[in-house]
Amino acid sequence: MGIYEELVARGLIAQVTNEEEIREMINNGKATFYIGFDCTADSLTAGHFMALTLMKRLQMAGNKPIALIGGGTTMIGDPSGRTDMRKMLTKEDIDHNAECFKRQMERFIEFGEGKAVMLNNADWLLKLNYVDLLREVGACFSVNNMLRAECYKQRMEKGLSFLEFNYMIMQSYDFYYMFQHNGCNMQFGGNDQWSNMLGGTELIRRKLGKDAHAMTITLLTDSQGNKMGKTAGNAVWLDPNKTSPFEFYQYWRNVADADVLKCIRMLTFLPLEQIDEMAGWEGAKLNEAKDILAYELTKLVHGDEEADKARQASKALFSGAGDAAHMPTTELTNDDLGGGQINILNLMVRCGLCASKGEARRLVQQGGVSVNDRKVESIDETLGCEQFTGDGVIIRKGKKVFHRVVLV
C-alpha cells in the first residue's frame, strides 16, 4: 500500500485536482507541498492536528513539506467558515504567534537541510506594491467566480468586506510565489479551503503555463457534523500552558463512542490492521479504544512522560482513587474570595468549567456538579477559604471532567 492509498484508507482525502498524478507524485516522494497556518492565536489547536499529522505522514514517505506561516495573510483574515470578520491583529501580535507556531511544529515535522522548510508569507506579501499586484495577477481572477466560491458564501448575508475579499488572491499568490522560488508543486489544506486552493492552481496555469496540484483533507467532525477540537466552547490547545496534557488527554478520552475509531484512524500512526481489529469493540473494549486514542495523541503532542502521567491520573480518577498531582488546577487568591467565600457558580466560571453563570446554574440544577465527591444541591452554595487550603477542592463536572482549586 502506497502513502496515497493509506490516506484514502484512513479517510483523510476529501478532494483532489488530479487523482492519478497526485497518487504518482506522493507515492514516489516527488511532492514538495505546503500547508498554510495563519497566526490568529499564540498556539496551534487540535483543529490543526490533522494537518500536522498529514505533513508528518507525507514526510515519512519521502515528500518535502513546506510549513507556511501566514504572517502576511493573517493581516487580511480568512473568511472561510466565518459568519463575522476576524479580529484584526497587530504585526507584533502576529510575529509573536508565528514564533509560538514554529516551536510547536518542530515536535511533528523534521526541519533542516534537504528536509522540511518553514517559510513566512510576510516575507513576500508585505513587500508587494498594490498596483503592481493588480497588474500582475488581477486579470487572472473572475469576480463572478470568486463570489460563487464556498469560502465567501457564509459572509455574503452579513456583508463581505473588501479586505477579506482579497484573501483568495493572497493565498493564490503564495502558491504562485513558492512554485517559482521553492519548487512547491502541491498544496494541502482543509476541505473549506478548496476554492482558495483552486485559485492558486489556476493562477500558476494562467501565468506560467504549468500544472500544480491541490488536495483537501477531510475536516475532523463528530457524528453530529460539528467540528471537533473544542471543549466547553473553548479551543483545545497544543500549548500545555493553555490546555494541560491532562486536559488534552481527557478531551480525547471523552469522545463519543461513534467517533473514537474514526479519530484513531485519521489521527494516530497505529497500523491500519490494528485499527481494523478494533472495529467490533463494544462496552469496556470501546473504553480501551478511547484510552488508546487519548494516549497516542497526547504522546505525539506532549511526549511519552506527559502521556504516561495523564493516563495514570485519568485511571486513578475513574477508579475513585483520585490523583490531584496532574489534574488541571486553578489558583485562587484572597481577592477572589470576597468576604472569605465564593459562590459555586462564580467558581465554575472562574475555573473555566463553564462559559457563563447561566451555564453553571443549569449544570448544578441538573445535578451535574460535585465538590470532593459530594453533589452540589443548590446554586446558592458557597465555599469558604478554609476549604481551599492544603490539597484544595476537586470539582467534578459531569462524570468525566475534574478540576482542582487551591488557595495561594
Side-chain angles (χ1 to χ4, degrees), residues 76-88 151-161 163-164:
I76 304 298
D78 185 3
S80 301
R82 302 280 299 192
T83 57
D84 57 353
M85 188 169 161
R86 293 181 186 273
K87 177 186 174 183
M88 296 285 284
C151 58
Y152 293 138
K153 280 185 179 178
Q154 286 184 277
R155 294 305 317 281
M156 296 303 289
E157 288 186 15
K158 289 191 175 181
L160 175 70
S161 70
L163 174 73
E164 297 165 289

Side-chain angles (χ1 to χ4, degrees), residues 67-208:
L68 181 65
I69 301 294
T73 42
T74 307
M75 299 189 79
I76 304 298
D78 185 3
S80 301
R82 302 280 299 192
T83 57
D84 57 353
M85 188 169 161
R86 293 181 186 273
K87 177 186 174 183
M88 296 285 284
L89 300 177
T90 66
K91 188 176 184 302
E92 291 71 27
D93 287 338
I94 293 170
D95 289 344
H96 170 72
N97 294 347
E99 286 302 313
C100 296
F101 279 21
K102 288 178 183 179
R103 290 193 296 271
Q104 292 178 343
M105 286 180 185
E106 286 169 352
R107 292 195 66 91
F108 293 85
I109 315 302
E110 192 175 357
F111 293 96
E113 188 68 32
K115 299 174 183 175
V117 296
M118 190 174 290
L119 302 176
N120 189 326
N121 61 20
D123 292 341
W124 55 84
L125 291 182
L126 299 188
K127 296 174 183 177
L128 291 173
N129 176 286
Y130 188 57
V131 173
D132 288 345
L133 176 69
L134 289 178
R135 289 177 61 86
E136 183 178 3
V137 306
C140 298
F141 290 86
S142 161
V143 171
N144 291 359
N145 289 340
M146 291 174 73
L147 290 175
R148 286 194 291 268
E150 193 65 34
C151 58
Y152 293 138
K153 280 185 179 178
Q154 286 184 277
R155 294 305 317 281
M156 296 303 289
E157 288 186 15
K158 289 191 175 181
L160 175 70
S161 70
F162 184 68
L163 174 73
E164 297 165 289
F165 188 63
N166 281 268
Y167 191 89
M168 181 188 290
I169 298 174
M170 296 293 98
Q171 183 171 331
S172 300
Y173 190 89
D174 284 342
F175 199 0
Y176 171 63
Y177 180 93
M178 289 185 291
F179 185 93
Q180 296 177 88
H181 294 87
N182 304 97
C184 181
N185 52 23
M186 193 176 299
Q187 179 182 179
F188 291 85
N191 203 29
D192 54 353
Q193 294 291 312
W194 183 240
S195 300
N196 291 338
M197 294 163 71
L198 290 183
T201 60
E202 180 65 8
L203 179 60
I204 291 166
R205 187 190 66 79
R206 295 187 64 173
K207 293 294 295 183
L208 304 174

Side-chain angles (χ1 to χ4, degrees), residues 354-400:
C354 293
S356 66
K357 288 178 67 175
E359 181 186 341
R361 181 182 294 107
R362 287 190 295 274
L363 269 173
V364 170
Q365 291 171 337
Q366 293 165 5
V369 179
S370 297
V371 174
N372 291 341
D373 287 331
R374 179 188 56 79
K375 184 182 291 187
V376 176
E377 301 290 350
S378 169
I379 60 172
D380 297 318
E381 180 166 326
T382 59
L383 286 81
C385 59
E386 71 281 354
Q387 293 174 260
F388 297 104
T389 58
D391 291 334
V393 301
I394 295 178
I395 302 174
R396 189 176 78 229
K397 172 185 168 184
K399 294 181 179 179
K400 301 175 179 179

Side-chain angles (χ1 to χ4, degrees), residues 15-33:
Q15 299 182 83
V16 295
T17 49
N18 187 311
E19 184 175 33
E20 185 176 340
E21 290 187 16
I22 289 175
R23 177 191 288 112
E24 193 274 335
M25 285 175 67
I26 68 173
N27 278 351
N28 292 286
K30 296 178 181 178
T32 297
F33 68 95

Side-chain angles (χ1 to χ4, degrees), residues 243-382:
T243 298
S244 72
F246 177 85
E247 291 173 301
F248 187 85
Y249 181 97
Q250 286 296 111
Y251 174 80
W252 297 107
R253 175 63 182 77
N254 294 335
V255 298
D257 291 357
D259 300 320
V260 60
L261 283 180
K262 177 177 72 173
C263 289
I264 290 176
R265 195 177 298 277
M266 296 176 83
L267 298 175
T268 76
F269 286 82
L270 295 176
L272 285 167
E273 296 78 14
Q274 181 181 345
I275 299 170
D276 290 339
E277 291 174 1
M278 301 179 190
W281 286 10
E282 296 179 353
K285 293 292 285 182
L286 201 53
N287 283 329
E288 182 183 336
K290 293 181 183 182
D291 177 72
I292 291 171
L293 170 67
Y295 182 79
E296 291 295 324
L297 298 192
T298 306
K299 183 170 64 173
L300 274 171
V301 175
H302 298 296
D304 291 4
E305 183 179 350
E306 292 298 334
D308 288 337
K309 289 179 182 177
R311 172 180 267 177
Q312 177 187 346
S314 180
K315 288 186 174 180
L317 286 168
F318 280 107
S319 69
D323 183 356
H326 307 301
M327 195 182 300
T329 299
T330 294
E331 296 181 342
L332 300 182
T333 65
N334 287 324
D335 290 340
D336 294 309
L337 302 174
Q341 59 187 16
I342 186 169
N343 175 265
I344 185 62
L345 304 185
N346 292 329
L347 182 60
M348 295 283 288
V349 174
R350 174 69 177 78
C351 295
L353 292 169
C354 293
S356 66
K357 288 178 67 175
E359 181 186 341
R361 181 182 294 107
R362 287 190 295 274
L363 269 173
V364 170
Q365 291 171 337
Q366 293 165 5
V369 179
S370 297
V371 174
N372 291 341
D373 287 331
R374 179 188 56 79
K375 184 182 291 187
V376 176
E377 301 290 350
S378 169
I379 60 172
D380 297 318
E381 180 166 326
T382 59

